Amino acid sequence: MQEISHAIGIGELARRTGCKPETVRYYERIELLKNALRTEGGQRRYDERAVRRLTFIRHARDFGFSVDAVRELLAMSDQPDMSCQEVDAVAKHHLEEVESRLQRLSALRDELRRMVSQCAGGKVESCRIIEVLSDHQLCISEAAHKGAHDFG
């Protein structure tokens, strides 16, 4: 068992990994991060493995991997002798999702640009933006409507 006196607290772990302490606790609750050792006073203590693991989680989340994908990747990283073929499959699937989102965002951007450029700056009763938002058939691309809320 690790000696607790050489471990770091949640604040230091959060600082070193660029997370907030609430995020650390959340990752513990959903079991991406192992529960910390506790001092007699109940304070959490983490070792360097926790720093590396949380850094991995944070970086994977920054890349947009879902919590489930991060869980899969962590399970695979815990098996260093396994083939990385499954890791590659997870990353390829995520890349496909990113490419799809980019296409939808591009269509959304183009549609918004078109709506804004067609606005004459008059009154709301004749505003092209309001008109297009009220009638999907006035949009050039059906893709502009699909999944835009997924990006927020």
Side-chain angles (χ1 to χ4, degrees):
M1 186 161 167
Q2 172 189 335
E3 193 176 308
I4 292 180
S5 64
H6 293 294
I8 60 173
I10 193 169
E12 179 65 13
L13 176 65
R15 186 191 66 71
R16 287 177 57 183
T17 59
C19 290
K20 295 181 179 176
E22 298 82 29
T23 304
V24 175
R25 287 190 282 276
Y26 169 72
Y27 288 144
E28 283 182 352
R29 255 192 331 275
I30 64 171
E31 298 178 351
L32 283 183
L33 193 61
K34 291 181 173 98
N35 286 329
L37 296 173
R38 300 281 185 143
T39 64
E40 286 183 22
Q43 292 181 329
R44 288 174 165 90
R45 293 291 176 212
Y46 301 89
D47 59 14
E48 285 303 312
R49 286 176 295 189
V51 174
R52 287 189 303 275
R53 190 169 180 98
L54 186 54
T55 298
F56 180 97
I57 294 166
R58 172 75 192 260
H59 201 202
R61 295 292 288 147
D62 286 347
F63 267 87
F65 283 97
S66 68
V67 168
D68 288 337
V70 172
R71 190 179 313 282
E72 279 185 76
L73 292 167
L74 283 167
M76 290 179 224
S77 73
D78 288 340
Q79 302 175 48
D81 293 332
M82 111 183 235
S83 165
C84 71
Q85 197 170 19
E86 289 182 51
V87 174
D88 190 50
V90 171
K92 282 180 179 176
H93 176 73
H94 184 59
L95 177 59
E96 290 168 4
E97 289 176 345
V98 168
E99 294 287 350
S100 175
R101 275 186 263 155
L102 285 170
Q103 288 174 348
R104 292 191 321 264
L105 275 173
S106 180
L108 177 62
R109 179 200 59 217
D110 294 346
E111 194 64 44
L112 283 166
R113 281 182 178 163
R114 189 177 72 80
M115 284 187 331
V116 168
S117 72
Q118 291 178 349
C119 183
K123 296 185 183 240
V124 170
E125 67 186 0
S126 61
C127 179
R128 181 65 176 172
I129 297 168
I130 298 294
E131 185 180 358
V132 171
L133 290 174
S134 299
D135 186 351
H136 292 310
Q137 294 178 358
L138 296 175
C139 292
I140 291 175
S141 171
E142 189 64 27
H145 309 127
K146 297 192 181 188
H149 60 277
D150 296 337
F151 307 116

